[in-house]
């Protein structure tokens, strides 16, 4: 059982979608940057747009603690879909 748990944890750690964003985007460490580079170009763009939204300005809410790349991508897609819908109205 221990070996299985270790294997699952290693797999999770290797999946860049499971990497956690720092709550302060100015604190990206090398590991976070390396994981970001493992994403597709479109996914990287989504994460970059997500973090830009959280830097300040009109939408400057801090990044919630524990936000993974996968969650950031999902939330950015939802945000952009809402923005596009509002623009059409």
């Amino acid at each position: 059982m221990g070996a299985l748990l270790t294997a699952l944890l290693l797999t999770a750690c290797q999946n860049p979608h499971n990497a956690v964003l720092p709550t302060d985007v100015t604190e990206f460490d090398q590991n976070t940057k390396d994981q970001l580079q493992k994403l597709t170009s479109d996914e990287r763009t989504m994460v970059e747009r997500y973090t830009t939204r959280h830097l300040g300005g009109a939408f400057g809410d801090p990044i919630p603690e524990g936000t993974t790349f996968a969650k950031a991508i999902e939330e950015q897609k939802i945000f952009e879909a809402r923005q596009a819908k509002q623009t059409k109205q």
Side-chain angles (χ1 to χ4, degrees):
M1 175 102 166
L4 177 60
L5 181 58
T6 300
L8 288 173
L9 287 173
L10 286 174
T11 301
C13 291
Q14 293 174 355
N15 182 344
H17 295 97
N18 296 331
V20 176
L21 283 166
T23 56
D24 180 351
V25 294
T26 62
E27 296 179 3
F28 264 46
D29 61 14
Q30 190 59 47
N31 182 54
T32 304
K33 291 176 184 177
D34 291 345
Q35 294 301 312
L36 185 62
Q37 291 305 311
K38 293 178 183 178
L39 298 173
T40 67
S41 176
D42 290 341
E43 291 171 331
R44 270 194 310 275
T45 298
M46 286 289 151
V47 171
E48 290 165 357
R49 288 179 183 166
Y50 178 87
T51 57
T52 299
R53 261 194 317 126
H54 290 276
L55 284 174
F59 304 106
D61 297 327
I63 295 173
E65 193 169 323
T67 300
T68 62
F69 285 165
K71 183 71 172 168
I73 292 165
E74 175 187 336
E75 288 186 11
Q76 186 62 26
K77 286 178 180 179
I78 292 168
F79 175 82
E80 290 183 11
R82 286 182 183 152
Q83 292 293 103
K85 186 176 180 180
Q86 287 179 354
T87 303
K88 289 181 181 180
Q89 292 178 352

